[in-house]
Amino acid sequence: DTEVTQTPKHLVMGMTNKKSLKCEQHMGHRAMYWYKQKAKKPPELMFVYSYEKLSINESVPSRFSPECPNSSLLNLHLHALQPEDSALYLCASSQDTGNVYYGYTFGSGTRLTVV
Amino acid sequence: DQQVKQNSPSLSVQEGRISILNCDYTNSMFDYFLWYKKYPAEGPTFLISISSIKDKNEDGRFTVFLNKSAKHLSLHIVPSQPGDSAVYFCAARSGGSNYKLTFGKGTLLTVNP
């Protein structure tokens, strides 16, 4: 299995809703990442997990809450989002944070719309 | 401040010819550079990487060149194929203990049959 699987593919949520994005990989990778991509912009790093511990938080607002229950799973819990949070949310994994010769493997993303 | 720059928003080439995608960076602490391809509604797909201690890496039709003194790298695709039409992102990895990838804005490559 050489894929990163993200669910759901599309999500529409109201500003008072609570929802979660899920990411799963079975490549034995020990680093996992959340990126946010707005239209016609590059992906921007949000969080890095290394060996199931949060190692980087790029000053992301607390309405985004990451969770890494085990080495294969990464969640992003969403609460009280704003319309400007609408974007493509990408999950990625790599062997570990130090080894990027083979790059990060990205999922197809969750297209989030906040109404 | 944009640390990774792809100054050409788009590039159009004929099938079978060479595609050259360029990327400039400003941060001397970047220790790894990567190229990704992205189709609409999909996540980025890794193509090739190069360490800052190398000046060339080759994988099939893809070759990446790094000029550290000029803080410039380029991706060569030879021969170009219509299926290569996509947005190409250059990315750079910060070294030290704060590993993170910084992406450029991307270049839309169109390969015409």
Side-chain angles (χ1 to χ4, degrees):
Chain A
D1 187 353
T2 58
E3 289 187 347
V4 172
T5 303
Q6 288 188 245
T7 56
K9 292 195 181 306
H10 301 274
L11 178 62
V12 180
M13 62 184 290
M15 289 188 282
T16 59
N17 291 160
K18 285 185 182 181
K19 296 286 184 182
S20 296
L21 308 185
K22 295 184 185 300
C23 174
E24 191 167 2
Q25 57 88 14
H26 296 287
M27 294 177 280
H29 289 174
R30 302 313 300 269
M32 297 186 77
Y33 313 83
W34 280 115
Y35 278 82
K36 172 182 176 179
Q37 186 176 23
K38 304 274 277 184
K40 299 192 188 302
K41 298 282 189 182
E44 293 181 354
L45 181 66
M46 300 175 71
F47 302 104
V48 179
Y49 272 84
S50 177
Y51 290 83
E52 295 141 62
K53 293 192 187 308
L54 183 65
S55 62
I56 296 178
N57 176 340
E58 287 288 287
S59 302
V60 179
S62 60
R63 57 185 183 269
F64 295 91
S65 176
E67 178 196 21
C68 189
N70 60 55
S71 60
S72 300
L73 292 174
L74 186 65
N75 298 321
L76 186 62
H77 302 297
L78 313 173
H79 174 53
L81 295 193
Q82 303 297 312
E84 58 264 30
D85 296 322
S86 299
L88 180 68
Y89 288 84
L90 293 162
C91 174
S93 69
S94 65
Q95 193 168 17
D96 56 52
T97 56
N99 186 347
V100 290
Y101 181 80
Y102 296 105
Y104 296 1
T105 302
F106 279 86
S108 295
T110 294
R111 174 71 61 188
L112 174 68
T113 303
V114 181
V115 297
Chain B
D1 178 30
Q2 211 181 334
Q3 298 187 62
V4 179
K5 301 176 185 178
Q6 293 178 257
N7 293 318
S8 297
S10 63
L11 174 68
S12 183
V13 300
Q14 285 300 117
E15 181 178 5
R17 306 295 290 269
I18 184 171
S19 295
I20 300 176
L21 298 139
N22 293 305
C23 178
D24 298 295
Y25 63 95
T26 57
N27 187 345
S28 300
M29 298 303 293
F30 288 142
D31 66 348
Y32 246 98
F33 302 90
L34 300 88
W35 283 95
Y36 281 85
K37 175 172 74 173
K38 187 177 186 300
Y39 295 117
E42 293 186 11
T45 300
F46 171 72
L47 288 173
I48 193 168
S49 67
I50 187 167
S51 164
S52 60
I53 63 173
K54 304 282 188 184
D55 57 18
K56 178 183 174 181
N57 190 23
E58 192 171 354
D59 184 0
R61 296 188 297 117
F62 302 95
T63 303
V64 57
F65 296 93
L66 175 62
N67 182 333
K68 278 190 73 174
S69 60
K71 293 191 174 68
H72 176 84
L73 64 154
S74 60
L75 175 68
H76 293 210
I77 306 174
V78 183
S80 301
Q81 299 172 353
D84 295 330
S85 298
V87 176
Y88 286 77
F89 288 100
C90 170
R93 202 271 297 265
S94 308
S97 60
N98 188 18
Y99 293 129
K100 55 184 278 190
L101 275 189
T102 301
F103 285 81
K105 288 188 173 181
T107 297
L108 174 62
L109 173 66
T110 303
V111 180
N112 302 302

